[in-house]
Amino acid sequence: MRSWYKNLDWVSLALWAALASIGLVAIYSATHGPAKEFLLESVQQNFNRQLQWVGISAAFLGIILLLPARFIVRMAPVAYAFCIGLLVAALVFGRVINGAQSWLQIGPVSLQVAEIAKVGTVLAVTALLSRKEARRGSIPYLIGAVVLILIPAVLVVMQNDTGTGLVFLALIPVMMFWSGAVPLTWMAMLAAPAVAVYLVIVNPTYAAVFVALAAAGMVLWTRSRAMGALTVAVAGGVAIAAYVGLFQILEPHQVDRLVAFDDPEAFRYGAGFHVIQAKAAIGSGGLLGKGFTNGTQTQLAYIPENSTDFVYTIIGEEFGFVGAMTVLVLFAFLLIRLAGLGVQAGFALPRLFIAGVTGIFLVHILINVGMTIGLMPVIGIPLPFISYGGSALLANTTMLAIALNLHARRDEFAVYS
């Protein structure tokens, strides 16, 4: 359709440009501030590399917007198979960086394949769940969608990248809900174990109380004791498994990293150090911040990974409450905008893909910002479009571009409805 560009959501593109620009400012501050001379030369090059990746991502965005929507849909199985191949290759030939064997060196380019795999996974699950049989609640199709998500999730966890593995798992309730094939009560059943696991990390007693309340709430909601018993079995079983895994299977240093966010002072010389310094940096920024490249916690390198996982601390310290809230507002506008585009799309296929992308962005934002302010465990999740990292920027931009493409050409999907 020649007039597809008239349906293109330019507001979302502007939000992408704004967030990517903020990321460049933060990364420049982390690598070109007063303490630049004390940084490794490779770290000093992070800004230049990120600037190049922004250019590459912008080029990909433009190319994807020009592709026919049906071509993108037909490529879903190929993209998924390619991504699984990359994940397997990373397990065999990958480089270990920060403890995760999730990087493939392709010539001069180093790719974190778990980030790239999100694109193929969302495409493949969308293509499956958008079929009429799946939307009518066909169990084999729903199980197939779960399997499509579990395969990359398991491969990513095997690479010792648990944080990214959790992002894949978060796709299950998001895409099942938006497919319309799973009742809301069952969605609550899927969400309950996640809350129970979080509470196990905070305090196992809280998790037990939550499971009891969730079961009682399910009985009142559905008027079915069987649903209450099933809630106890599912949420309680997952909580017990998490408790055993946390305190019986994981190594002590891994446990410390997960539980330190709840009481960082108890781990101030170890796993809690990150959280303490991040909260101190954000809190010291005040209303307007200390000024560009003037953040003491940032410039004196008290915060490890301050241009990647903890990039939000730079914004909070140097640009204060106003800067930190500006980022959150921009993300809120983007998420709301995408949700609106999904509703406008009307047809199942573009709606499902946009829902999956929105869910991935939301999980990343909640975990990344949450771990910098002590509400989430430190599990190494980048902030979309802002954190340093070419693979994540390219993958997130690609997903956004496909979402905008499918929305702009939404009328082409009448044939799939």
Side-chain angles (χ1 to χ4, degrees):
M1 185 179 297
R2 294 182 180 179
S3 61
W4 67 269
Y5 59 88
K6 295 180 180 178
N7 295 325
L8 189 60
D9 188 62
W10 296 98
V11 174
S12 295
L13 290 177
L15 291 169
W16 172 85
L19 290 167
S21 299
I22 290 172
L24 289 173
V25 170
I27 294 168
Y28 185 91
S29 176
T31 56
H32 288 73
K36 173 183 177 181
E37 58 199 76
F38 300 105
L39 299 176
L40 295 174
E41 186 176 349
S42 59
V43 176
Q44 294 180 30
Q45 295 302 313
N46 282 356
F47 173 78
N48 293 332
R49 284 193 289 266
Q50 188 74 356
L51 186 60
Q52 292 171 358
W53 277 110
V54 169
I56 293 170
S57 298
F60 265 75
L61 190 154
I63 292 170
I64 291 170
L65 289 178
L66 294 174
L67 293 176
R70 293 187 184 183
F71 172 78
I72 295 175
V73 175
R74 286 196 296 268
M75 290 298 294
V78 177
Y80 182 79
F82 176 72
C83 291
I84 297 301
L86 286 179
L87 291 173
V88 173
L91 280 173
V92 179
F93 307 108
R95 296 170 55 201
V96 178
I97 298 179
N98 293 332
Q101 188 176 343
S102 56
W103 299 80
L104 274 181
Q105 192 70 35
I106 304 175
V109 179
S110 185
L111 287 178
Q112 188 176 8
V113 295
E115 295 292 338
I116 306 299
K118 294 172 188 174
V119 183
T121 301
V122 178
L123 265 176
V125 175
T126 295
L128 183 62
L129 288 181
S130 62
R131 296 184 180 182
K132 291 181 179 179
E133 295 86 347
R135 285 182 281 138
R136 291 170 181 164
S138 172
I139 299 300
Y141 278 86
L142 298 180
I143 293 175
V146 173
V147 171
L148 287 177
I149 295 171
L150 288 179
I151 291 173
V154 170
L155 290 173
V156 170
V157 171
M158 289 173 64
Q159 296 171 2
N160 200 28
D161 188 357
T162 307
T164 304
L166 292 175
V167 176
F168 280 94
L169 294 179
L171 281 172
I172 295 176
V174 169
M175 300 202 72
M176 290 295 181
F177 174 74
W178 281 100
S179 71
V182 181
L184 192 57
T185 53
W186 287 98
M187 294 308 306
M189 187 77 69
L190 286 173
V195 177
V197 170
Y198 175 82
L199 292 176
V200 165
I201 297 174
V202 175
N203 188 318
T205 302
Y206 296 165
V209 173
F210 168 77
V211 171
L213 292 175
M218 188 62 73
V219 171
L220 292 174
W221 186 5
T222 63
R223 301 183 183 277
S224 169
R225 293 182 180 180
M227 289 297 290
L230 186 59
T231 301
V232 171
V234 174
V238 171
I240 292 171
Y243 180 85
V244 172
L246 187 63
F247 297 105
Q248 303 296 327
I249 298 176
L250 293 180
E251 296 295 327
H253 72 276
Q254 294 175 310
V255 176
D256 290 349
R257 188 176 182 184
L258 286 174
V259 303
F261 80 97
D262 185 50
D263 185 13
E265 290 294 335
F267 303 87
R268 62 180 305 110
Y269 300 111
F273 179 81
H274 297 66
V275 179
I276 292 172
Q277 297 300 327
K279 291 169 70 175
I282 294 176
S284 66
L287 180 62
L288 298 176
K290 297 176 180 177
F292 182 52
T293 72
N294 289 326
T296 52
Q297 303 292 110
T298 297
Q299 300 305 326
L300 295 178
Y302 281 108
I303 303 170
E305 309 297 339
N306 62 2
S307 61
T308 52
D309 299 341
F310 285 87
V311 69
Y312 191 68
T313 60
I314 300 176
I315 299 167
E317 183 179 24
E318 298 190 350
F319 300 98
F321 177 80
V322 172
M325 284 304 300
T326 297
V327 170
L328 294 183
V329 169
L330 289 174
F331 275 128
F333 279 155
L334 179 61
L335 295 176
I336 293 171
R337 192 76 184 180
L338 286 174
L341 296 183
V343 172
Q344 288 180 14
F347 302 110
L349 201 148
R351 184 180 69 245
L352 276 171
F353 185 86
I354 293 172
V357 172
T358 306
I360 287 178
F361 290 167
L362 178 61
V363 170
H364 271 265
I365 295 163
L366 289 178
I367 294 179
N368 182 276
V369 175
M371 71 185 191
T372 63
I373 59 177
L375 295 179
M376 290 286 183
V378 179
I379 56 176
I381 294 291
L383 193 58
F385 311 117
I386 293 180
S387 289
Y388 169 74
S391 302
L393 178 62
L394 180 62
N396 290 328
T397 302
T398 298
M399 288 189 290
L400 178 63
I402 294 174
L404 297 181
N405 182 310
L406 298 184
H407 172 263
R409 294 178 167 86
R410 55 190 179 276
D411 292 342
E412 296 180 23
F413 293 98
V415 68
Y416 296 100
S417 60

